[in-house]
Amino acid sequence: MANVNEKKLNDFMAKVIAKNPSEIEFHQAVHEVVSSLLPYIEEHPQYSEAKILERMVEPERTILFRVPWLDDKGEVQINKGFRIEMNSAIGPYKGGLRFHPTVNLGILKFLAFEQVLKNSLTTLPMGGGKGGTDFDPKGKSDNEVMRFCQSFMSELFRHIGPNTDVPAGDIGVGGREIGFLFGQYKRLRNEFTGVLTGKGIEWGGSLVRPEATGYGATYFAEEMLKTRGQSFKGKIVAISGSGNVAQYATEKVTQLGGKVVTLSDSSGYIYDANGIDAVKLAWIMQLKNVKRGRIAEYVAKFGGSFVEGERPWGVKCDVAMPCATQNEINEEEAKLLVKNGCIAVSEGANMPSTPEAVDVYINSKILYGPGKAANAGGVATSGLEMSQNSLRLSWTREEVDARLHQIMVDIHSTCVKYGTQSDGFINYVNGANIGGFVKVADAMLAQGLV
Ligand code: NDP
Ligand code: 2IT
């Protein structure tokens, strides 16, 4: 593959930055994708002539709204609501909702931009979107979360629909929040439809959707390991986060014979040299999903150590799976991982590695599965939930898991197809970016100037 034309890249980025000032995470995501795509586009001028990239970095629609709600003391609270409808070339907008105090336009635009390519990689017909709010569910009562969700949906409902835009969960949005959001949508529209994914199993949800992102990131890592004749058997695995993605990555890694020695939250990380087995994980799930406690509490129950205010990347491991948030592995931490013998990084989170960290992985030629490929199992299974809703049928656990597994194997093959360099090294960043781009770009060309 040709080298990146630095001048073209810099010119392109200068325009993106001028048009979207201070949206630093969005600039970061676009820079990475465009670096991969420019050499490919130079060989396929139909895309540059139609300004496909320039169109892709501009959302089709951006919705910003006020979310007023009453807290338990009867005091009025106001939060920001967002939905970015990024690209609908290959299907309805699809992507999660993030509830976290750090949420802003730049973060949601980076997530929506990544989502477009990720959803394309799944092979399912889904466009890309993302939304959320700066509301912080931490420390709120169930009633407060419900009132917030009802207010949020009282505006969002007019913009979404099962054939228009189908939100789901992300940080701070799990089964509880999807339930409250779905209830309010149904009430406002007088319609029971698959407008959200991640629904409860009794009311239109899919088996394996809760597990899907963590399982998928593990299946992806397994495929990467296979290219070097390796497997999870006996591998030491460092995982960050302790929410939805981290929990089910821990479960699947353990089932495949690996030993997970770390988990974390925003307060710090736990290290358990004996491994976080199924019994310990069941306790963590209760702690995090029901009691909504802190990961530090693990140590009083099971031993090991808690390292306050730190991330787990200094721990010796064979495989690292960042499953918390963006930019949670920096250059120094990436170097530490490689120095300690880490051979694979599979990203459960979106953009958890800084650009400098990614350079370290690539230059060290370790196996590196970027988020848009490695964590696509979540949205892929959302796509399977949409299919089941349309059919008005539910597939068995085995059927959904088999489809998820096959999709992850296929995404890996797409990365190999588009990312294998002349020296045989698989650059999964290029593979995922080009593999995701082609279908969206061809659909945009076919649909004219929209
Ligand atoms: P959860 O809300 O279930 O869990 C998030 C975890 O990450 C918590 O342990 C949280 O700790 C930690 N975390 C969040 N923000 C920060 C931060 N700023 N610094 C340190 N730790 C942080 O979210 P998910 O597990 O669903 O999402 C995790 C990642 O996976 C995100 O990047 C998300 O975009 C991505 N993802 C999720 C998918 C899904 O289906 N849910 C699909 C694909 C990707 P604390 O409790 O202290 O905040
Ligand atoms: O980042 C993601 O892919 C998600 N949060 C899941 C989106 C979805 O629609 O299931």
Side-chain angles (χ1 to χ4, degrees):
M1 187 167 310
N3 284 329
V4 181
N5 181 329
E6 288 293 334
K7 180 170 175 352
K8 274 198 179 162
L9 176 62
N10 291 338
D11 288 351
F12 187 90
M13 285 314 302
K15 285 187 193 142
V16 169
I17 292 166
K19 281 189 170 198
N20 307 277
S22 74
E23 296 176 6
I24 47 177
E25 291 85 0
F26 181 58
H27 306 161
Q28 182 183 333
V30 171
H31 187 273
E32 185 221 90
V33 168
V34 175
S35 304
S36 289
L37 289 177
L38 277 183
Y40 184 82
I41 286 177
E42 276 182 8
E43 290 164 15
H44 300 84
Q46 69 270 31
Y47 300 129
S48 48
E49 281 155 20
K51 299 238 165 95
I52 295 292
L53 268 186
E54 287 82 347
R55 281 197 257 164
M56 282 180 72
V57 296
E58 198 58 59
E60 288 180 16
R61 191 177 297 108
T62 305
I63 301 149
L64 305 176
F65 52 101
R66 176 169 70 205
V67 189
W69 57 281
L70 275 183
D71 70 16
D72 284 347
K73 294 189 212 112
E75 198 176 314
V76 174
Q77 302 287 342
I78 291 109
N79 286 99
K80 286 178 181 293
F82 305 82
R83 185 73 184 165
I84 317 297
E85 298 185 331
M86 200 74 187
N87 194 303
S88 63
I90 63 168
Y93 309 107
K94 180 83 196 88
L97 296 171
R98 177 173 292 191
F99 288 7
H100 196 271
T102 57
V103 160
N104 60 37
L105 193 57
I107 288 178
L108 294 180
K109 279 172 68 179
F110 116 63
L111 289 162
F113 183 69
E114 291 279 290
Q115 198 81 45
V116 173
L117 300 169
K118 183 196 304 190
N119 293 3
S120 168
L121 283 169
T122 67
T123 70
L124 302 175
M126 299 180 289
K130 201 88 188 189
T133 171
D134 60 356
F135 170 79
D136 185 359
K138 244 187 241 129
K140 303 291 190 301
S141 70
D142 286 351
N143 275 329
E144 287 177 323
V145 171
M146 180 181 73
R147 284 196 296 274
F148 175 82
C149 287
Q150 290 178 340
S151 180
F152 186 84
M153 186 52 87
S154 297
E155 173 58 36
L156 188 67
F157 87 101
R158 67 186 93 252
H159 307 289
I160 63 175
N163 296 310
T164 308
D165 184 353
V166 184
D170 193 78
I171 291 176
V173 177
R176 174 182 63 169
E177 291 74 18
I178 294 292
F180 295 147
L181 292 163
F182 183 79
Q184 185 71 353
Y185 181 88
K186 183 163 61 67
R187 190 177 179 201
L188 291 167
R189 285 258 195 235
N190 192 26
E191 198 175 274
F192 194 114
T193 50
V195 66
L196 294 161
T197 58
K199 300 186 290 299
I201 203 66
E202 309 83 359
W203 39 280
S206 174
L207 289 164
V208 192
R209 176 62 188 88
E211 293 89 338
T213 311
Y215 278 19
T218 311
Y219 293 148
F220 194 86
E222 193 185 25
E223 291 307 299
M224 291 200 298
L225 289 169
K226 272 191 205 161
T227 66
R228 302 216 176 151
Q230 307 244 14
S231 76
F232 266 109
K233 260 214 156 49
K235 295 276 185 304
I236 305 292
V237 182
I239 297 183
S240 65
S242 50
N244 172 267
V245 181
Q247 291 169 14
Y248 288 105
T250 301
E251 181 166 286
K252 187 50 74 180
V253 165
T254 308
Q255 285 171 5
L256 294 179
K259 184 156 87 172
V260 176
V261 294
T262 67
L263 284 173
S264 71
D265 60 23
S266 53
S267 311
Y269 76 88
I270 54 154
Y271 174 67
D272 182 347
N274 297 322
I276 299 164
D277 61 19
V279 171
K280 295 170 181 173
L281 179 62
W283 185 88
I284 290 172
M285 287 184 176
Q286 183 72 15
L287 172 77
K288 283 284 160 183
N289 309 345
V290 181
K291 274 181 61 193
R292 300 186 189 274
R294 308 303 296 158
I295 198 67
E297 296 170 47
Y298 178 93
V299 175
K301 177 81 182 166
F302 296 113
S305 50
F306 174 67
V307 184
E308 196 175 345
E310 299 272 328
R311 303 188 285 218
W313 314 123
V315 166
K316 190 171 165 43
C317 65
D318 302 305
V319 178
M321 297 182 69
C323 296
T325 193
Q326 64 274 359
N327 293 327
E328 55 163 321
I329 304 183
N330 62 26
E331 180 177 17
E332 211 176 296
E333 290 163 319
K335 283 184 179 157
L336 212 48
L337 282 170
V338 172
K339 184 170 144 251
N340 286 336
C342 175
I343 57 164
V345 177
S346 183
E347 294 184 339
N350 286 304
M351 207 168 75
S353 305
T354 64
E356 297 76 24
V358 174
D359 287 343
V360 172
Y361 309 145
I362 303 272
N363 292 335
S364 313
K365 304 234 160 159
I366 66 166
L367 298 163
Y368 167 56
K372 69 171 73 66
N375 72 41
V379 74
T381 308
S382 280
L384 300 177
E385 182 171 330
M386 290 166 73
S387 303
Q388 292 168 81
N389 291 167
S390 298
L391 290 167
R392 298 189 187 280
L393 285 175
S394 297
W395 295 331
T396 62
R397 196 178 167 79
E398 290 68 31
E399 169 138 28
V400 181
D401 190 39
R403 284 180 189 266
L404 164 65
H405 195 175
Q406 188 58 48
I407 288 171
M408 297 316 296
V409 169
D410 292 344
I411 294 173
H412 184 269
S413 302
T414 301
C415 292
V416 171
K417 177 176 167 190
Y418 288 104
T420 303
Q421 297 180 173
S422 49
D423 62 357
F425 174 69
I426 305 164
N427 184 320
Y428 289 90
V429 176
N430 287 342
N433 287 334
I434 301 169
F437 169 79
V438 172
K439 189 165 67 164
V440 176
D442 287 343
M444 289 174 75
L445 283 180
Q447 291 169 23
L449 193 52
V450 288

